[in-house]
Amino acid sequence: MNILTIEREFGSGASNIAEKLAQQLGWKLWDRALTDEIAKLAHVDPKSVQRCDEHLDTMLYRLAQVFARGSYERALPITGPEAFDTDRMVAMVHQVIEQAAAKGNCVVVGRGAPWILRGRPGSFHVFIYAPREEKIKRVRALGKSEEEATEMVDTIDQERAAFIKRYYGKEWPTRALYDMMINSSLGEDLVIKTIIDAMHAKVPQPQGGAVR
């Protein structure tokens, strides 16, 4: 195993878990780094990537893009910040994740990585979830009000589900896709240990590529 993907519910604390896993394994973490790499490739501000990140473009935005290009230009390539949308981002996500997987020793968070890398040798896919009340509590700890935290917990995963449905044609989460689904309320340390132990148990460690 030298590729770990982490899919997650919003507010489950998976980003911290992924970061600690990458540190313990000594692997490259592709989370914020993935956003930055796409921004660099697209020559746009990272905020433009964040706007599209696991979200669908609104219908109004899509219509504006069509009219801005003109109907006769729809098949022509366009460049620049004004051209960056979710369709373009998804194509770049595939490119960056495939390159990261080819190098190995990486932890990739979200962005449909389990679908992009499904069936790839050496990959291990995890889904992290948590009770709704705990997710709201975590989001409130970031400085959000009860109302804001509740709204974010209730809607962001809906957007992620719509994103996966639109670009991969599947329901989110698809349980059969993951090697493990684990409740983060067990505690970060136990979750991390359980994931690493499961990675060891899935296959014998290959020479030169052992999970540390």
Side-chain angles (χ1 to χ4, degrees), residues 102-163:
K103 293 178 181 178
N105 293 351
C106 59
V107 179
V108 186
V109 180
R111 284 82 170 188
W115 286 108
I116 296 169
L117 301 177
R118 65 190 182 279
R120 188 183 184 100
S123 62
F124 191 86
H125 308 297
V126 176
F127 187 92
I128 297 176
Y129 62 96
R132 182 171 178 271
E133 295 76 15
E134 185 164 325
K135 291 187 291 184
I136 292 172
K137 182 180 178 180
R138 279 202 185 95
V139 177
R140 288 205 66 189
L142 300 175
K144 302 297 182 181
S145 68
E146 179 79 23
E147 182 179 359
E148 288 174 324
T150 300
E151 192 273 337
M152 292 174 75
V153 166
D154 288 345
T155 61
I156 289 179
D157 282 346
Q158 292 176 9
E159 293 175 354
R160 288 175 176 169
F163 176 89

Side-chain angles (χ1 to χ4, degrees), residues 4 8 16-17 25 62-63 68 80-81 96 111 125 138 142 146 167 171-172 181 183 186 193 204:
L4 173 62
R8 72 283 188 232
N16 287 339
I17 291 170
L25 294 166
R62 283 180 171 272
L63 287 173
V96 174
R111 284 82 170 188
H125 308 297
R138 279 202 185 95
L142 300 175
E146 179 79 23
Y167 288 99
E171 299 300 320
W172 182 92
M181 302 183 79
N183 189 334
L186 294 171
K193 182 181 184 303

Side-chain angles (χ1 to χ4, degrees), residues 6-8 18 29 48 52 104 106 118 130 134 141 170 182 187:
I6 302 289
E7 188 56 272
R8 72 283 188 232
L29 175 63
S48 296
C52 299
C106 59
R118 65 190 182 279
E134 185 164 325
K170 302 295 182 180
I182 190 165

Side-chain angles (χ1 to χ4, degrees), residues 4 7 10-11 15 21 46-47 51 65 67 79 102 109 136 148 158-159 162 181 188 190:
L4 173 62
E7 188 56 272
F10 178 75
S15 292
L21 276 164
K47 290 182 179 179
R51 177 184 62 78
Q65 288 290 83
F67 284 115
T79 60
V109 180
I136 292 172
E148 288 174 324
Q158 292 176 9
E159 293 175 354
M181 302 183 79
E188 286 188 358
L190 180 55

Side-chain angles (χ1 to χ4, degrees), residues 24-35:
Q24 287 197 27
L25 294 166
W27 292 1
K28 169 78 173 181
L29 175 63
W30 288 97
D31 193 355
R32 294 184 183 89
L34 198 152
T35 298

